[in-house]
PDB file of all heavy atoms in Angstrom:
ATOM      1  N   ARG B 106       3.865  10.755  -3.701  1.00  0.00           N
ATOM      2  CA  ARG B 106       4.067  12.233  -3.709  1.00  0.00           C
ATOM      3  C   ARG B 106       4.947  12.626  -4.790  1.00  0.00           C
ATOM      4  O   ARG B 106       4.722  13.612  -5.573  1.00  0.00           O
ATOM      5  CB  ARG B 106       4.659  12.640  -2.307  1.00  0.00           C
ATOM      6  CG  ARG B 106       4.769  14.167  -2.178  1.00  0.00           C
ATOM      7  CD  ARG B 106       5.346  14.511  -0.819  1.00  0.00           C
ATOM      8  NE  ARG B 106       6.718  13.989  -0.622  1.00  0.00           N
ATOM      9  CZ  ARG B 106       7.097  13.076   0.255  1.00  0.00           C
ATOM     10  NH1 ARG B 106       6.223  12.546   1.039  1.00  0.00           N
ATOM     11  NH2 ARG B 106       8.296  12.644   0.324  1.00  0.00           N
ATOM     12  N   GLN B 107       6.130  12.006  -5.000  1.00  0.00           N
ATOM     13  CA  GLN B 107       7.104  12.375  -6.019  1.00  0.00           C
ATOM     14  C   GLN B 107       6.780  12.047  -7.414  1.00  0.00           C
ATOM     15  O   GLN B 107       6.838  12.791  -8.308  1.00  0.00           O
ATOM     16  CB  GLN B 107       8.458  11.858  -5.643  1.00  0.00           C
ATOM     17  CG  GLN B 107       9.002  12.360  -4.365  1.00  0.00           C
ATOM     18  CD  GLN B 107       9.371  13.801  -4.376  1.00  0.00           C
ATOM     19  OE1 GLN B 107       9.594  14.404  -5.445  1.00  0.00           O
ATOM     20  NE2 GLN B 107       9.356  14.468  -3.196  1.00  0.00           N
ATOM     21  N   LEU B 108       6.248  10.764  -7.637  1.00  0.00           N
ATOM     22  CA  LEU B 108       5.920  10.305  -9.008  1.00  0.00           C
ATOM     23  C   LEU B 108       4.546  10.578  -9.448  1.00  0.00           C
ATOM     24  O   LEU B 108       4.254  10.401 -10.578  1.00  0.00           O
ATOM     25  CB  LEU B 108       6.231   8.844  -9.086  1.00  0.00           C
ATOM     26  CG  LEU B 108       7.730   8.415  -8.782  1.00  0.00           C
ATOM     27  CD1 LEU B 108       7.841   6.887  -8.932  1.00  0.00           C
ATOM     28  CD2 LEU B 108       8.720   9.138  -9.708  1.00  0.00           C
ATOM     29  N   LYS B 109       3.700  10.906  -8.514  1.00  0.00           N
ATOM     30  CA  LYS B 109       2.233  11.258  -8.766  1.00  0.00           C
ATOM     31  C   LYS B 109       1.632  10.107  -9.572  1.00  0.00           C
ATOM     32  O   LYS B 109       1.064  10.318 -10.604  1.00  0.00           O
ATOM     33  CB  LYS B 109       2.127  12.586  -9.585  1.00  0.00           C
ATOM     34  CG  LYS B 109       2.747  13.720  -8.750  1.00  0.00           C
ATOM     35  CD  LYS B 109       2.270  15.039  -9.260  1.00  0.00           C
ATOM     36  CE  LYS B 109       2.753  16.198  -8.528  1.00  0.00           C
ATOM     37  NZ  LYS B 109       3.708  16.195  -7.512  1.00  0.00           N
ATOM     38  N   VAL B 110       1.701   8.867  -8.992  1.00  0.00           N
ATOM     39  CA  VAL B 110       1.111   7.667  -9.558  1.00  0.00           C
ATOM     40  C   VAL B 110       0.258   7.025  -8.569  1.00  0.00           C
ATOM     41  O   VAL B 110       0.269   7.332  -7.281  1.00  0.00           O
ATOM     42  CB  VAL B 110       2.213   6.682 -10.002  1.00  0.00           C
ATOM     43  CG1 VAL B 110       3.027   7.268 -11.158  1.00  0.00           C
ATOM     44  CG2 VAL B 110       3.072   6.319  -8.874  1.00  0.00           C
ATOM     45  N   MET B 111      -0.561   6.125  -8.972  1.00  0.00           N
ATOM     46  CA  MET B 111      -1.422   5.366  -8.082  1.00  0.00           C
ATOM     47  C   MET B 111      -0.548   4.174  -7.614  1.00  0.00           C
ATOM     48  O   MET B 111       0.194   3.605  -8.341  1.00  0.00           O
ATOM     49  CB  MET B 111      -2.673   4.826  -8.765  1.00  0.00           C
ATOM     50  CG  MET B 111      -3.714   5.890  -9.100  1.00  0.00           C
ATOM     51  SD  MET B 111      -5.238   5.107  -9.607  1.00  0.00           S
ATOM     52  CE  MET B 111      -5.763   4.361  -8.116  1.00  0.00           C
ATOM     53  N   THR B 112      -0.740   3.850  -6.300  1.00  0.00           N
ATOM     54  CA  THR B 112       0.027   2.876  -5.686  1.00  0.00           C
ATOM     55  C   THR B 112      -0.837   1.714  -5.175  1.00  0.00           C
ATOM     56  O   THR B 112      -1.964   1.898  -4.809  1.00  0.00           O
ATOM     57  CB  THR B 112       0.821   3.402  -4.495  1.00  0.00           C
ATOM     58  OG1 THR B 112      -0.035   4.051  -3.569  1.00  0.00           O
ATOM     59  CG2 THR B 112       1.887   4.392  -5.000  1.00  0.00           C
ATOM     60  N   LEU B 113      -0.240   0.504  -5.232  1.00  0.00           N
ATOM     61  CA  LEU B 113      -0.953  -0.640  -4.777  1.00  0.00           C
ATOM     62  C   LEU B 113       0.007  -1.316  -3.681  1.00  0.00           C
ATOM     63  O   LEU B 113       1.157  -1.569  -4.005  1.00  0.00           O
ATOM     64  CB  LEU B 113      -1.272  -1.622  -5.908  1.00  0.00           C
ATOM     65  CG  LEU B 113      -1.728  -3.045  -5.548  1.00  0.00           C
ATOM     66  CD1 LEU B 113      -3.230  -3.097  -5.646  1.00  0.00           C
ATOM     67  CD2 LEU B 113      -1.090  -4.069  -6.289  1.00  0.00           C
ATOM     68  N   SER B 114      -0.508  -1.669  -2.577  1.00  0.00           N
ATOM     69  CA  SER B 114       0.243  -2.282  -1.536  1.00  0.00           C
ATOM     70  C   SER B 114      -0.340  -3.676  -1.253  1.00  0.00           C
ATOM     71  O   SER B 114      -1.647  -3.807  -1.078  1.00  0.00           O
ATOM     72  CB  SER B 114       0.359  -1.482  -0.259  1.00  0.00           C
ATOM     73  OG  SER B 114       1.166  -0.350  -0.491  1.00  0.00           O
ATOM     74  N   ILE B 115       0.492  -4.664  -1.078  1.00  0.00           N
ATOM     75  CA  ILE B 115      -0.032  -6.032  -0.706  1.00  0.00           C
ATOM     76  C   ILE B 115       0.743  -6.448   0.519  1.00  0.00           C
ATOM     77  O   ILE B 115       1.981  -6.378   0.599  1.00  0.00           O
ATOM     78  CB  ILE B 115       0.371  -6.974  -1.971  1.00  0.00           C
ATOM     79  CG1 ILE B 115      -0.231  -6.449  -3.188  1.00  0.00           C
ATOM     80  CG2 ILE B 115      -0.204  -8.375  -1.568  1.00  0.00           C
ATOM     81  CD1 ILE B 115       0.366  -7.166  -4.382  1.00  0.00           C
ATOM     82  N   GLY B 116      -0.017  -6.966   1.489  1.00  0.00           N
ATOM     83  CA  GLY B 116       0.614  -7.346   2.769  1.00  0.00           C
ATOM     84  C   GLY B 116      -0.134  -8.549   3.373  1.00  0.00           C
ATOM     85  O   GLY B 116      -1.301  -8.834   3.033  1.00  0.00           O
ATOM     86  N   ASP B 117       0.537  -9.315   4.204  1.00  0.00           N
ATOM     87  CA  ASP B 117      -0.015 -10.470   4.787  1.00  0.00           C
ATOM     88  C   ASP B 117       0.038 -10.460   6.284  1.00  0.00           C
ATOM     89  O   ASP B 117      -0.289 -11.547   6.910  1.00  0.00           O
ATOM     90  CB  ASP B 117       0.692 -11.763   4.157  1.00  0.00           C
ATOM     91  CG  ASP B 117       2.143 -11.880   4.681  1.00  0.00           C
ATOM     92  OD1 ASP B 117       2.681 -10.814   5.174  1.00  0.00           O
ATOM     93  OD2 ASP B 117       2.691 -12.940   4.616  1.00  0.00           O
ATOM     94  N   GLY B 118       0.387  -9.390   6.890  1.00  0.00           N
ATOM     95  CA  GLY B 118       0.426  -9.419   8.379  1.00  0.00           C
ATOM     96  C   GLY B 118       0.202  -8.044   8.944  1.00  0.00           C
ATOM     97  O   GLY B 118      -0.059  -7.070   8.264  1.00  0.00           O
ATOM     98  N   ALA B 119       0.166  -8.079  10.250  1.00  0.00           N
ATOM     99  CA  ALA B 119      -0.098  -6.736  10.939  1.00  0.00           C
ATOM    100  C   ALA B 119       0.971  -5.713  10.790  1.00  0.00           C
ATOM    101  O   ALA B 119       0.667  -4.538  10.796  1.00  0.00           O
ATOM    102  CB  ALA B 119      -0.269  -7.027  12.426  1.00  0.00           C
ATOM    103  N   ASN B 120       2.201  -6.144  10.406  1.00  0.00           N
ATOM    104  CA  ASN B 120       3.215  -5.132  10.195  1.00  0.00           C
ATOM    105  C   ASN B 120       3.127  -4.459   8.861  1.00  0.00           C
ATOM    106  O   ASN B 120       3.815  -3.504   8.569  1.00  0.00           O
ATOM    107  CB  ASN B 120       4.629  -5.794  10.258  1.00  0.00           C
ATOM    108  CG  ASN B 120       4.806  -6.977   9.311  1.00  0.00           C
ATOM    109  OD1 ASN B 120       3.784  -7.447   8.737  1.00  0.00           O
ATOM    110  ND2 ASN B 120       6.014  -7.295   9.015  1.00  0.00           N
ATOM    111  N   ASP B 121       2.177  -4.857   7.969  1.00  0.00           N
ATOM    112  CA  ASP B 121       1.940  -4.258   6.691  1.00  0.00           C
ATOM    113  C   ASP B 121       0.732  -3.288   6.690  1.00  0.00           C
ATOM    114  O   ASP B 121       0.450  -2.764   5.702  1.00  0.00           O
ATOM    115  CB  ASP B 121       1.703  -5.343   5.599  1.00  0.00           C
ATOM    116  CG  ASP B 121       2.903  -6.270   5.466  1.00  0.00           C
ATOM    117  OD1 ASP B 121       3.979  -5.796   5.556  1.00  0.00           O
ATOM    118  OD2 ASP B 121       2.650  -7.448   5.227  1.00  0.00           O
ATOM    119  N   VAL B 122       0.089  -3.063   7.805  1.00  0.00           N
ATOM    120  CA  VAL B 122      -1.148  -2.313   7.867  1.00  0.00           C
ATOM    121  C   VAL B 122      -0.843  -0.839   7.469  1.00  0.00           C
ATOM    122  O   VAL B 122      -1.605  -0.280   6.652  1.00  0.00           O
ATOM    123  CB  VAL B 122      -1.826  -2.384   9.192  1.00  0.00           C
ATOM    124  CG1 VAL B 122      -2.951  -1.455   9.388  1.00  0.00           C
ATOM    125  CG2 VAL B 122      -2.302  -3.796   9.509  1.00  0.00           C
ATOM    126  N   SER B 123       0.195  -0.237   7.955  1.00  0.00           N
ATOM    127  CA  SER B 123       0.432   1.193   7.719  1.00  0.00           C
ATOM    128  C   SER B 123       0.753   1.319   6.196  1.00  0.00           C
ATOM    129  O   SER B 123       0.401   2.298   5.552  1.00  0.00           O
ATOM    130  CB  SER B 123       1.529   1.713   8.521  1.00  0.00           C
ATOM    131  OG  SER B 123       2.696   0.920   8.322  1.00  0.00           O
ATOM    132  N   MET B 124       1.421   0.363   5.587  1.00  0.00           N
ATOM    133  CA  MET B 124       1.750   0.472   4.204  1.00  0.00           C
ATOM    134  C   MET B 124       0.527   0.263   3.347  1.00  0.00           C
ATOM    135  O   MET B 124       0.300   1.027   2.339  1.00  0.00           O
ATOM    136  CB  MET B 124       2.693  -0.637   3.871  1.00  0.00           C
ATOM    137  CG  MET B 124       3.034  -0.809   2.368  1.00  0.00           C
ATOM    138  SD  MET B 124       4.054  -2.283   1.982  1.00  0.00           S
ATOM    139  CE  MET B 124       2.978  -3.558   2.379  1.00  0.00           C
ATOM    140  N   ILE B 125      -0.395  -0.634   3.760  1.00  0.00           N
ATOM    141  CA  ILE B 125      -1.645  -0.814   3.026  1.00  0.00           C
ATOM    142  C   ILE B 125      -2.500   0.467   3.081  1.00  0.00           C
ATOM    143  O   ILE B 125      -3.111   0.805   2.101  1.00  0.00           O
ATOM    144  CB  ILE B 125      -2.283  -2.126   3.526  1.00  0.00           C
ATOM    145  CG1 ILE B 125      -1.490  -3.343   3.170  1.00  0.00           C
ATOM    146  CG2 ILE B 125      -3.776  -2.161   2.963  1.00  0.00           C
ATOM    147  CD1 ILE B 125      -2.021  -4.642   3.767  1.00  0.00           C
ATOM    148  N   GLN B 126      -2.536   1.038   4.270  1.00  0.00           N
ATOM    149  CA  GLN B 126      -3.387   2.252   4.368  1.00  0.00           C
ATOM    150  C   GLN B 126      -2.769   3.455   3.681  1.00  0.00           C
ATOM    151  O   GLN B 126      -3.519   4.368   3.242  1.00  0.00           O
ATOM    152  CB  GLN B 126      -3.609   2.499   5.883  1.00  0.00           C
ATOM    153  CG  GLN B 126      -4.525   1.504   6.541  1.00  0.00           C
ATOM    154  CD  GLN B 126      -4.721   1.792   8.008  1.00  0.00           C
ATOM    155  OE1 GLN B 126      -3.827   2.357   8.620  1.00  0.00           O
ATOM    156  NE2 GLN B 126      -5.818   1.343   8.612  1.00  0.00           N
ATOM    157  N   ALA B 127      -1.550   3.473   3.464  1.00  0.00           N
ATOM    158  CA  ALA B 127      -0.878   4.679   2.827  1.00  0.00           C
ATOM    159  C   ALA B 127      -1.102   4.548   1.267  1.00  0.00           C
ATOM    160  O   ALA B 127      -1.050   5.556   0.627  1.00  0.00           O
ATOM    161  CB  ALA B 127       0.593   4.675   3.131  1.00  0.00           C
ATOM    162  N   ALA B 128      -1.323   3.390   0.705  1.00  0.00           N
ATOM    163  CA  ALA B 128      -1.526   3.211  -0.649  1.00  0.00           C
ATOM    164  C   ALA B 128      -2.935   3.587  -1.166  1.00  0.00           C
ATOM    165  O   ALA B 128      -3.856   3.660  -0.337  1.00  0.00           O
ATOM    166  CB  ALA B 128      -1.228   1.737  -1.084  1.00  0.00           C
ATOM    167  N   ASP B 129      -3.071   3.784  -2.421  1.00  0.00           N
ATOM    168  CA  ASP B 129      -4.375   4.005  -3.024  1.00  0.00           C
ATOM    169  C   ASP B 129      -5.315   2.805  -2.951  1.00  0.00           C
ATOM    170  O   ASP B 129      -6.442   2.863  -2.711  1.00  0.00           O
ATOM    171  CB  ASP B 129      -4.261   4.473  -4.511  1.00  0.00           C
ATOM    172  CG  ASP B 129      -3.596   5.805  -4.571  1.00  0.00           C
ATOM    173  OD1 ASP B 129      -3.999   6.746  -3.925  1.00  0.00           O
ATOM    174  OD2 ASP B 129      -2.608   5.975  -5.338  1.00  0.00           O
ATOM    175  N   VAL B 130      -4.707   1.619  -3.309  1.00  0.00           N
ATOM    176  CA  VAL B 130      -5.388   0.390  -3.139  1.00  0.00           C
ATOM    177  C   VAL B 130      -4.554  -0.553  -2.328  1.00  0.00           C
ATOM    178  O   VAL B 130      -3.323  -0.724  -2.476  1.00  0.00           O
ATOM    179  CB  VAL B 130      -5.582  -0.243  -4.601  1.00  0.00           C
ATOM    180  CG1 VAL B 130      -6.244  -1.559  -4.536  1.00  0.00           C
ATOM    181  CG2 VAL B 130      -6.308   0.681  -5.503  1.00  0.00           C
ATOM    182  N   GLY B 131      -5.300  -1.205  -1.296  1.00  0.00           N
ATOM    183  CA  GLY B 131      -4.562  -2.062  -0.406  1.00  0.00           C
ATOM    184  C   GLY B 131      -5.205  -3.472  -0.526  1.00  0.00           C
ATOM    185  O   GLY B 131      -6.388  -3.622  -0.466  1.00  0.00           O
ATOM    186  N   ILE B 132      -4.349  -4.492  -0.540  1.00  0.00           N
ATOM    187  CA  ILE B 132      -4.756  -5.834  -0.707  1.00  0.00           C
ATOM    188  C   ILE B 132      -4.154  -6.619   0.425  1.00  0.00           C
ATOM    189  O   ILE B 132      -2.972  -6.602   0.648  1.00  0.00           O
ATOM    190  CB  ILE B 132      -4.345  -6.467  -2.056  1.00  0.00           C
ATOM    191  CG1 ILE B 132      -5.015  -5.715  -3.210  1.00  0.00           C
ATOM    192  CG2 ILE B 132      -4.720  -8.010  -2.073  1.00  0.00           C
ATOM    193  CD1 ILE B 132      -4.578  -6.268  -4.526  1.00  0.00           C
ATOM    194  N   GLY B 133      -4.994  -7.295   1.190  1.00  0.00           N
ATOM    195  CA  GLY B 133      -4.532  -8.114   2.275  1.00  0.00           C
ATOM    196  C   GLY B 133      -4.624  -9.605   1.974  1.00  0.00           C
ATOM    197  O   GLY B 133      -5.585 -10.067   1.344  1.00  0.00           O
ATOM    198  N   ILE B 134      -3.545 -10.303   2.286  1.00  0.00           N
ATOM    199  CA  ILE B 134      -3.476 -11.742   1.925  1.00  0.00           C
ATOM    200  C   ILE B 134      -3.605 -12.448   3.266  1.00  0.00           C
ATOM    201  O   ILE B 134      -2.755 -12.236   4.209  1.00  0.00           O
ATOM    202  CB  ILE B 134      -2.214 -12.103   1.207  1.00  0.00           C
ATOM    203  CG1 ILE B 134      -2.061 -11.372  -0.068  1.00  0.00           C
ATOM    204  CG2 ILE B 134      -2.137 -13.623   0.981  1.00  0.00           C
ATOM    205  CD1 ILE B 134      -0.766 -11.520  -0.755  1.00  0.00           C
ATOM    206  N   SER B 135      -4.555 -13.404   3.407  1.00  0.00           N
ATOM    207  CA  SER B 135      -4.694 -14.119   4.703  1.00  0.00           C
ATOM    208  C   SER B 135      -3.965 -15.379   4.643  1.00  0.00           C
ATOM    209  O   SER B 135      -4.434 -16.411   4.249  1.00  0.00           O
ATOM    210  CB  SER B 135      -6.296 -14.350   4.812  1.00  0.00           C
ATOM    211  OG  SER B 135      -6.761 -15.137   3.780  1.00  0.00           O
TER     212      SER B 135
END
């Protein structure tokens, strides 16, 4: 919102789902 940039979130667990969905590109690590 503030920087008006594209964001990429990387997560490896269920606690990262909201962060991954909030980003423009989400990467899940199994």
Side-chain angles (χ1 to χ4, degrees):
R106 185 179 64 245
Q107 296 292 336
L108 300 181
K109 300 197 178 8
V110 294
M111 288 190 69
T112 56
L113 170 100
S114 291
I115 305 167
D117 67 343
N120 59 343
D121 298 323
V122 171
S123 59
M124 172 186 68
I125 289 171
Q126 289 178 334
D129 293 308
V130 179
I132 298 177
I134 300 174
S135 60

